[in-house]
Amino acid sequence: MDSIMARMLQPIKSIFDNKLVLDDREPAMTFELPGFDGTFGLLMPEGELWLQLGALISLQTGLQCLFGAIIYTLIIKPRKAGSKDRIAPQLLGWGIIFPIAAYASYLTLEVLDVRNKVIKMAAGTFSTVVCFRVIEAMYETPASPAVETSLGHYAAYYSTPVPCIWDAKTMQRVKGAPYQTLKTTLFTLWHFVLVSFTLSFLAHFDYKPFPNDPVELDSTEFSFDLFTPQHLANAYCQILMLYSILFIGFNGSALSPQLQGFATVPIFTNPMLTSRSATEFWTQRWNMMIHALLKHGIFRPLQKCVPLNLAILLTFVASGVFHDYSWSTVFYKFESCGGPDGVEGETCYDIVLGRTTIFFFLTGLLLLLERPFLKLPGVASFAKALPTPIISTLLVLAHAPFAHLYYGAWITGGYVDDFALASSTSEN
């Protein structure tokens, strides 16, 4: 299988010759800032990184559609024809398709020799789409009945992880308005500017602008140090940077179906300032792309066999396992890394798996405890009186003590440094 895949990918392998791990950009302009020592330089984005991202996503799109057609033919179509066999789809899904899809990310990295961690993350798109949606197929929990009405619809459903809007009456994808595409473009550009500023600012202080923070970013220890003002303040700044990075990647990916004329569900809807509860934050405003995959691929199948609260908690745990898998792709370590045959400038990082699973387990507990907490005397009325931005900030700070379990590896392992190549940053 490896040799077949290698031959398929060989024509585009040369696109990835530039490993994009060494920042050798020359400043487009230099300037000084009052209160800061030295001269700063403005660095322009590395265009080749965006070209490599586009090439890799295009390749995976075709494979996603192919696997969607296979799943439709072997699982969906027999079920729609009246087949009562539930064992064969499980064997096919769990025994063949799921393992192949999960392994595909690592195989892609090896065949194309991808080293930039931003592009490594994009290499997991195929695995994410196929793994979650084959579970939907096995347990009959698609995002919309319309996606299963034809082979063409189902293949289109697999073409992107972006949640498109399907009309329940016409059984077609809803046409999008040009305004939505313009809005997505402008907001993505705004976050591009915002992340360029926040990344440059935080990098100047080694990502900890508030000194004497006792918590190490790659630490898994739990102590009262997690609640110190310095750690909470630094975590809040780091979360702002993380939000803009994710916004650019996920919200920007919605441009592809929108430019094809289709309406999509908004991916991020200002969760940092307009959320009035943890439930609203996670189920309505934060990353609706991953939310939709988890809802239909994990939560709804679980609902069929376990109580609601347990299904919610297990879905968050599954989210953690999924993110741990994604991080294993991002920080995939080549044998040559750090050796004489390694790539100059590459960060060789040994990822500690399980950290994001702990984070999402704690987040799930926080969400489940929210409802009984709001029933305490005076809590609901007090919360109702607070302005929404205050509530949202308090919600973010409630996650801040342990949020580094999610993004700490991004900073210490070099993902943020590799992402800097894609943005317009400044150097000292």
Side-chain angles (χ1 to χ4, degrees):
M1 179 180 173
D2 287 14
S3 60
I4 296 174
M5 185 68 75
R7 287 197 297 270
M8 291 173 58
L9 301 179
Q10 187 61 40
I12 67 166
K13 187 174 180 179
S14 61
I15 299 174
F16 301 90
D17 286 344
N18 186 346
K19 301 310 171 188
L20 297 169
V21 294
L22 185 64
D23 194 346
D24 55 2
R25 293 173 293 173
E26 293 293 331
M29 60 176 292
T30 59
F31 56 92
E32 296 181 357
L33 292 175
F36 291 88
D37 296 330
T39 301
F40 291 80
L42 182 65
L43 304 175
M44 292 295 99
E46 177 58 72
E48 190 169 350
L49 191 150
W50 293 103
L51 291 175
Q52 290 190 17
L53 276 173
L56 185 56
I57 291 172
S58 297
L59 168 68
Q60 292 179 101
T61 299
L63 292 174
Q64 288 158 208
C65 293
L66 174 62
F67 270 73
I70 293 171
I71 292 167
Y72 181 87
T73 302
L74 299 180
I75 297 180
I76 305 297
K77 192 174 180 179
R79 167 162 44 86
K80 291 172 67 68
S83 173
K84 302 298 182 182
D85 187 356
R86 294 294 179 264
I87 297 178
Q90 301 280 333
L91 292 175
L92 177 64
W94 290 116
I96 299 177
I97 294 176
F98 194 95
I100 290 175
Y103 176 64
S105 295
Y106 308 116
L107 180 60
T108 301
L109 296 179
E110 284 285 353
V111 172
L112 298 179
D113 195 25
V114 174
R115 301 302 178 105
N116 181 280
K117 293 177 176 60
V118 178
I119 304 174
K120 282 183 176 181
M121 174 171 278
T125 304
F126 167 83
S127 301
T128 300
V129 170
V130 174
C131 285
F132 277 108
R133 289 182 177 163
V134 74
I135 297 175
E136 293 178 17
M138 289 187 289
Y139 295 96
E140 304 177 37
T141 57
S144 168
V147 305
E148 295 186 350
T149 54
S150 71
L151 174 61
H153 282 178
Y154 203 69
Y157 181 49
Y158 273 67
S159 67
T160 175
V162 177
C164 294
I165 301 174
W166 293 79
D167 191 309
K169 293 182 179 180
T170 64
M171 296 296 180
Q172 301 287 334
R173 280 189 284 182
V174 175
K175 295 295 183 180
Y179 169 76
Q180 185 185 31
T181 307
L182 177 61
K183 181 179 178 182
T184 300
T185 303
L186 292 177
F187 272 92
T188 303
L189 289 174
W190 160 244
H191 278 275
F192 181 85
V193 173
L194 187 62
V195 77
S196 297
F197 170 77
T198 55
L199 197 157
S200 299
F201 173 78
L202 291 176
H204 184 79
F205 297 98
D206 199 22
Y207 300 99
K208 288 187 175 183
F210 296 90
N212 303 318
D213 183 347
V215 179
E216 297 295 331
L217 285 168
D218 55 1
S219 170
T220 54
E221 296 182 4
F222 288 84
S223 68
F224 288 110
D225 288 342
L226 297 174
F227 302 94
T228 59
Q230 302 98 309
H231 176 63
L232 294 177
N234 283 328
Y236 189 84
C237 294
Q238 292 155 4
I239 291 170
L240 287 176
M241 177 184 69
L242 170 75
Y243 172 51
S244 286
I245 289 175
L246 292 175
F247 191 101
I248 292 170
F250 287 94
N251 211 64
S253 65
L255 284 172
S256 177
Q258 287 176 12
L259 288 171
Q260 297 174 53
F262 300 112
T264 64
V265 175
I267 309 300
F268 289 96
T269 51
N270 200 9
M272 306 291 286
L273 292 175
T274 58
S275 301
R276 291 199 63 85
S277 68
T279 301
E280 180 183 353
F281 182 94
W282 287 108
T283 65
Q284 298 178 36
R285 298 191 176 277
W286 182 272
N287 202 342
M288 290 297 98
M289 183 189 301
I290 299 301
H291 170 77
L293 292 169
L294 288 165
K295 178 180 178 179
H296 300 286
I298 303 294
F299 177 68
R300 288 184 61 194
L302 283 172
Q303 269 190 300
K304 297 182 177 184
C305 55
V306 301
L308 176 62
N309 285 345
L310 181 57
I312 292 173
L313 184 59
L314 289 177
T315 300
F316 272 91
V317 172
S319 177
V321 173
F322 161 66
H323 282 82
D324 268 323
Y325 165 77
S326 297
W327 276 211
S328 74
T329 303
V330 171
F331 299 104
Y332 180 78
K333 194 172 179 180
F334 290 84
E335 290 184 5
S336 63
C337 192
D341 297 326
V343 176
E344 182 183 0
E346 182 178 13
T347 302
C348 304
Y349 184 75
D350 294 313
I351 184 69
V352 177
L353 298 179
R355 286 162 51 87
T356 55
T357 300
I358 296 172
F359 168 77
F360 280 102
F361 172 74
L362 294 173
T363 301
L365 287 179
L366 181 66
L367 188 143
L368 290 175
L369 292 172
E370 178 183 59
R371 189 166 296 176
F373 176 73
L374 290 175
K375 291 181 179 179
L376 294 175
V379 174
S381 57
F382 177 74
K384 189 177 294 185
L386 289 176
T388 298
I390 299 295
I391 294 285
S392 300
T393 301
L394 291 175
L395 285 170
V396 174
L397 289 174
H399 294 78
F402 50 89
H404 65 286
L405 295 173
Y406 177 93
Y407 61 73
W410 280 27
I411 297 175
T412 58
Y415 177 89
V416 173
D417 293 334
D418 284 1
F419 181 85
L421 285 168
S423 64
S424 180
T425 55
S426 63
E427 64 171 3
N428 190 348

